């Protein structure tokens, strides 16, 4: 779960580059060629690296980019062949030396900590030609000479040294797969190269430790990279062992000798007996412990290409927290620097790198969780990379920079991408500080707040399930052993009149509702069952009696009904057969049919019902009427007029003596710009709200007409030839008819959608909006991919208030699927957090939130598990949780309750004796004695079972 917190003080926020990728000027100012210069010249799709970032000549622009981000560290590498063209430490290239001195001086002036890498894969080509590169152990001494020079020349300004960046990739892809320079494909050489890289690192560490650390007081390590892999079956020891072996083959290969006991992992020695060199005992002692911290790289190069990695049939994962825990357990809790982390985009992407933001958010939050929850000592984080550059085997086909560079331009300006803006924000806030949306408000709702549960359509029983008390006949059972009943002729028994509780389903519902302790129950009638032919002449009196029984029995149990007349879904429109055959809501005659049906329901049930919903989520029927957008808009037009006519029937004919209220329910999920740094995404989010909600709510609650913005956008698309869609027009009479036809705002809210602008062609409702959705991987997500974003509820409530004023609002459905059939922890979390947002909207934002209805009462057998009860009527743990919430009427902290009179009773008279305190993520059940006093209610605490239960 996403953690809102901040990083420790003085945490190193950094960004990184490597010399070969960004410096350019590969043949200028005395620089010698590297193995990568030679390697890319041999490629069919050669790209001149001088044409990338040109950091060598544009140092001030790089430094300005660092200033923009506000980083406290800069991870960069020194180009070995720029200082020593042949690789041998003879006469230094003064121009190269001047460049690095200028860079370090600029960092020092800005108090930016340099983290300097000596070797990031660009070995001088002369050493490859003469010695065969790293497969020759002569390079151990040569590298030490080079390191010694760097310590002498730059050590007065450098406190963090990295000897080698990701030796695994240098060895495996440089000498095994051949996709990196020098392009060798000899598996036997891979492990000798790795062997020599380890020895070279250890030699440089001892050199620094002996001769430079005493007066420079710096730290030295080697950056090790890895993937992370998870077992397909978490309880399968074989799968776990395969994952462990995969990690040892990549990370353990280098980490165990350096951070462990000086030797290779036993698994590698067993598997690679004839390939893996041996360390002598003296070498083991010399190598172990040669790192002052654990520098770790976790990026796309460690995962690609997947067919070249030891996956071993298991699953790759980007869970940075898990691999940090593995490092902690394997290597005795080292201090860790995230030396490289980030992701890539395709080469054509310029500054709008939205997906990178979400990956960055996820990675950094995983680091924060590792620090706060797992006590892992991570002291710095390096985002990769500062600039777009040459991405190794990918060339310029992918980009990893926080700053976009047009490689073809002369100026090569560093243009911040949206990921740079996001990273800057994280640095400024030192993480993800807690905000109001995640704090608990200890308040209660008003005493007349409606606590409800919602069900969809209730299917009426045509005859009683328990007829034994109203059937006058006597029966004999199993006379011939056939298990049948045989009526005894001539015998009649006394009976009682038929009762509503003869319906078994009603008895079951009442039992479930009594366990829920709700004040209201929202359900829908079945129009097609009540009026099979669609007209009043076909009234199903048995179905009508059933619904009247449901309602009357609810009222006897103190539960108020909220009755929905029409509940269409994408699976069933719920229309009578003849109406459906005549085109359903595309046919204007359906409007009059609905008006007649609504009137009949008001007449037959209105004496018992005080809350009516005409139509549930008419703004979702685009799933059905989707052959063209004009069909969608025509069906919506008829739905709006049908609702308005029904409202007027109730208002004119029944309200005066039934004293009820009537509205319709709109699906009202919130929309956030997927990328908050892009104006087009903000516009897309508002457009989503216009097309999804205001489409219906503007005509009813504001103007009597469709949103102007919606009509204008469709007009723009039509003018551009992108769509032929258009909204119908209301006549002036229809505008007057529709406007104001709701006594309250009823919304169904489930989640928040993260919206991207994406231009689309076509004349369908979905394409008219020009939006695409993005999944925030840092969100808590249900099994059906519904994101749990509680703050979205409060935001949509505020949007409704701003747009339509101070109207009463009922949240008529809100819930999430949870696969658990018993301890549905996700549902409990969802309800707690979403109700909290409703409470904040009421108390802080002064929004007239009048009720919250959790969705839904019972599971459906073949659908996602949304219910408080299973399809077998077994209660889940969320039932008791919701009970406690209702009993407390919110989230109280202090229990002195001033009486407030509601319906002839005070809140105190209805006050529960068992109250649950919600706070800090815990629940405590306490027993209280409530004493009535003139000045209020005194609450005394007693332990449960103490005998003071009074």
């Amino acid at each position: 779960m996403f953690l809102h917190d901040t990083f420790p003080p003085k945490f190193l926020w950094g960004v990184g580059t490597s010399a070969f990728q960004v410096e350019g000027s590969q043949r200028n100012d005395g620089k010698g060629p590297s193995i990568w210069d030679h390697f890319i010249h041999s490629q069919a799709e050669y790209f001149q690296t001088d044409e990338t970032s040109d950091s060598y000549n544009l140092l001030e622009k790089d430094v300005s980019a660092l200033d923009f981000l506000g980083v406290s560290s800069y991870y960069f590498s020194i180009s070995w062949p720029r200082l020593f063209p042949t690789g041998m430490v003879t006469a230094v290239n003064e121009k190269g030396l001047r460049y690095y001195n200028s860079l370090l001086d600029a960092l020092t002036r800005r108090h930016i900590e340099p983290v300097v890498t000596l070797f990031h894969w660009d070995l001088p080509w002369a050493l490859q030609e003469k010695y065969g590169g790293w497969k020759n152990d002569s390079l151990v001494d040569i590298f030490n000479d080079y390191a010694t020079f760097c310590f002498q020349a730059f050590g007065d300004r450098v406190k963090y040294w990295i000897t080698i960046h990701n030796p695994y990739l240098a060895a495996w892809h440089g000498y095994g797969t051949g996709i990196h320079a020098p392009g060798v494909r000899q598996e036997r050489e891979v492990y000798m190269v790795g062997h020599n890289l380890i020895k070279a690192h250890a030699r440089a560490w001892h050199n620094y430790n002996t001769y430079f650390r005493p007066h420079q007081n710096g730290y030295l390590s080697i950056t090790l990279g890895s993937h992370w892999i998870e077992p397909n079956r978490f309880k399968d020891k074989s799968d776990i062992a395969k994952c462990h072996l995969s990690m040892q083959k990549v990370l353990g290969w280098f980490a165990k000798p350096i951070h462990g006991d000086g030797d290779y992992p036993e698994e590698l020695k067993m598997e690679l007996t004839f390939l893996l060199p041996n360390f002598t005992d003296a070498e083991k002692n010399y190598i172990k412990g040669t790192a002052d911290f654990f520098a770790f790289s976790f990026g796309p190069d460690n995962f690609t290409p997947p067919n070249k990695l030891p996956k071993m049939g298991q699953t790759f994962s980007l869970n940075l927290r898990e691999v940090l825990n593995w490092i902690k357990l394997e290597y005795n809790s080292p201090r860790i620097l995230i030396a490289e982390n980030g992701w890539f985009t395709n080469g054509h992407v310029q500054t709008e790198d939205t997906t990178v933001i979400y990956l960055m958010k996820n990675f950094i939050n995983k680091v924060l969780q590792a620090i706060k929850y797992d006590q892992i000592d991570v002291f710095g984080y390096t985002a990769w990379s500062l600039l777009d550059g040459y991405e190794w085997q990918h060339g310029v086909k992918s980009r990893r920079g926080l700053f976009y560079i047009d490689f073809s331009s002369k100026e090569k300006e560093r243009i911040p991408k949206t990921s740079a803006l996001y990273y800057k924000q994280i640095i400024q806030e030192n993480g993800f500080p807690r905000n109001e949306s995640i704090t608990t408000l200890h308040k209660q709702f008003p005493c007349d707040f409606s606590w409800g549960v919602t069900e969809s359509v209730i299917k009426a029983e045509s005859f009683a399930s328990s007829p034994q008390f109203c059937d006058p006949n006597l029966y004999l059972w199993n006379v011939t052993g056939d298990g049948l009943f045989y009526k005894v002729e001539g015998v009649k028994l006394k009976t009682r009149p038929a009762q509503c509780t003869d319906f078994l389903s009603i008895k079951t519902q009442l039992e479930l509702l009594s366990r829920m302790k709700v004040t209201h129950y929202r359900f829908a009638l079945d129009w097609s069952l009540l009026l099979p032919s669609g007209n009043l002449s076909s009234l199903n009196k048995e179905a009508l009696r059933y619904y009247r029984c449901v309602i009357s029995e609810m009222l006897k149990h103190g539960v108020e009904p909220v009755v929905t007349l029409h509940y269409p879904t994408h699976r069933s429109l719920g229309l009578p057969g003849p109406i459906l055959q005549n085109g359903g809501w595309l046919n204007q005659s359906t409007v009059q049919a609905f008006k007649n049906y609504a009137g009949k329901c008001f007449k037959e049930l209105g004496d018992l019902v005080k809350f009516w919903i005409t139509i549930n989520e008419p703004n979702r029927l685009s799933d059905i009427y989707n052959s063209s957008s004009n069909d969608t808009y025509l069906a919506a037009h008829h739905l709006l007029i049908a609702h308005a006519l029904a409202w007027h029937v109730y208002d004119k004919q029944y309200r005066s003596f039934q004293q009820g209220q009537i509205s319709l329910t709109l699906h009202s999920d919130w929309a956030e710009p997927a990328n908050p740094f892009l104006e087009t995404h903000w516009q897309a989010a508002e457009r989503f709200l216009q097309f999804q909600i205001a489409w219906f709510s503007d005509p009813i609650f504001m103007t009597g007409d469709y949103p102007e913005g919606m009509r204008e956008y469709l007009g723009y698309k039509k003018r551009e030839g992108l769509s032929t869609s258009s909204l119908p027009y209301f006549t002036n009479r229809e505008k007057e008819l529709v406007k104001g036809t709701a006594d309250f705002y009823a919304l169904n809210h489930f989640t928040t959608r993260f919206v991207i602008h994406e231009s689309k062609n076509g004349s369908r409702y979905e394409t008219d909006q020009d939006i695409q959705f993005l999944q925030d991987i840092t969100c808590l997500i249900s099994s059906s991919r519904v994101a749990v974003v509680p703050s979205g509820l409060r935001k949509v409530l505020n949007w409704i208030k701003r747009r339509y004023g101070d109207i009463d609002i009922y949240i008529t459905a809100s819930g999430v699927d949870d696969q658990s059939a018993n301890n549905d922890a996700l549902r409990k979390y969802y309800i707690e957090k979403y109700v909290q947002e409703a409470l904040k909207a009421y108390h802080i934002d002064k929004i007239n939130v009048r009720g919250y209805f959790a969705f839904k009462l019972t599971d459906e057998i073949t659908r996602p598990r949304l219910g408080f009860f299973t399809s077998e009527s077994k209660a889940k743990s969320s039932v008791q949780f919701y009970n406690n919430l209702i009993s407390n009427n919110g989230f109280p902290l202090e229990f002195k309750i001033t009486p407030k009179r509601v319906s002839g009773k005070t809140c105190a008279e209805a006050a529960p004796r068992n109250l649950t305190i919600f706070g800090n993520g815990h629940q405590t059940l306490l027993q209280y004695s409530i004493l009535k006093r003139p000045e209020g209610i005194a609450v005394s605490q007693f332990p449960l079972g103490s005998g003071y239960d009074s």
Side-chain angles (χ1 to χ4, degrees), residues 478-510:
N478 204 28
V479 173
T480 62
D482 57 4
L484 299 177
F485 287 97
Y486 291 88
K487 186 168 64 172
V488 178
E489 298 296 340
V491 178
K492 296 296 180 181
L493 304 175
K494 289 185 178 181
T495 62
R496 60 156 172 77
Q499 296 180 2
C500 288
T501 49
D502 293 339
F503 292 102
L504 183 60
S505 61
I506 294 180
K507 292 172 67 174
T508 301
Q509 287 180 68
L510 291 173

Side-chain angles (χ1 to χ4, degrees), residues 308-552:
K308 304 293 185 181
L309 288 169
K311 185 178 180 183
M312 308 194 69
Q314 306 308 303
T315 305
F316 286 134
S317 168
L318 298 181
N319 195 326
L320 180 50
R321 178 184 174 187
E322 293 297 330
V323 71
L324 289 174
N325 270 278
W326 196 83
I327 291 169
K328 176 186 177 181
L329 292 172
E330 286 284 314
Y331 307 113
N332 196 29
S333 301
R335 295 184 73 226
I336 300 174
L337 170 70
I338 308 297
E340 176 190 4
N341 182 235
W343 213 248
F344 65 92
T345 64
N346 292 328
H348 68 271
V349 174
Q350 298 186 6
T351 59
E352 298 186 8
D353 56 341
T354 302
T355 55
V356 173
I357 288 178
Y358 284 88
L359 287 162
M360 177 185 288
K361 179 182 178 184
N362 181 55
F363 284 137
I364 295 177
N365 200 259
K366 292 296 184 185
V367 175
L368 182 62
Q369 292 173 42
I371 294 171
K372 298 293 183 178
Y373 294 149
D374 310 321
Q375 289 74 53
I376 297 175
D377 187 7
V378 182
F379 67 91
Y381 175 88
T382 309
W384 202 275
S385 160
L386 176 65
L387 310 171
D388 286 339
Y390 193 85
E391 290 301 326
W392 309 112
Q393 75 270 26
H394 303 293
V396 294
K397 293 179 181 178
S398 66
R399 293 174 179 265
R400 289 189 64 189
L402 296 177
F403 286 79
Y404 168 76
I405 296 176
D406 181 354
F407 298 138
S408 64
S409 70
K410 181 179 179 181
E411 295 79 11
K412 293 182 169 53
E413 295 296 340
R414 278 69 171 136
I415 304 171
K417 302 180 185 179
T418 55
S419 58
L421 300 174
Y422 183 66
Y423 190 46
K424 178 179 182 178
Q425 176 182 307
I426 291 175
I427 293 171
Q428 288 174 340
E429 297 178 345
N430 197 33
F432 311 93
R434 295 174 66 86
N435 55 50
E436 189 180 83
S437 68
I438 62 167
T439 58
T440 299
L441 178 66
H442 292 285
K443 294 278 189 179
Q444 292 173 292
F445 289 99
C447 293
D448 60 348
F449 191 77
S450 299
W451 290 100
V453 65
T454 292
E455 191 55 273
S456 50
V457 175
I458 293 180
K459 293 294 183 182
E461 293 182 57
S462 57
F463 57 88
S465 308
S466 304
Q468 63 266 36
F469 297 113
C470 50
D471 186 346
N473 295 303
L474 177 67
Y475 297 85
L476 295 176
W477 175 69
N478 204 28
V479 173
T480 62
D482 57 4
L484 299 177
F485 287 97
Y486 291 88
K487 186 168 64 172
V488 178
E489 298 296 340
V491 178
K492 296 296 180 181
L493 304 175
K494 289 185 178 181
T495 62
R496 60 156 172 77
Q499 296 180 2
C500 288
T501 49
D502 293 339
F503 292 102
L504 183 60
S505 61
I506 294 180
K507 292 172 67 174
T508 301
Q509 287 180 68
L510 291 173
E511 180 184 345
L512 300 187
L513 289 173
S514 66
R515 296 175 69 180
M516 289 294 291
K517 302 191 188 315
V518 292
T519 63
H520 290 71
Y521 178 42
R522 180 183 169 221
F523 67 93
L525 308 177
D526 188 338
W527 182 5
S528 63
L529 187 62
L530 279 169
L531 298 177
S533 70
N535 59 59
L536 299 181
S537 63
S538 64
L539 178 64
N540 184 335
K541 293 182 179 180
E542 289 76 15
L544 179 63
R545 174 176 175 265
Y546 177 87
Y547 286 127
R548 189 168 179 86
C549 277
V550 170
I551 295 167
S552 60

Side-chain angles (χ1 to χ4, degrees), residues 643-653 736-739 741:
H643 156 77
L645 288 173
W647 186 90
H648 282 288
V649 167
Y650 188 82
D651 190 56
K652 293 173 182 176
Q653 299 179 30
E736 290 300 317
L737 177 77
V738 171
K739 183 177 178 181
T741 54

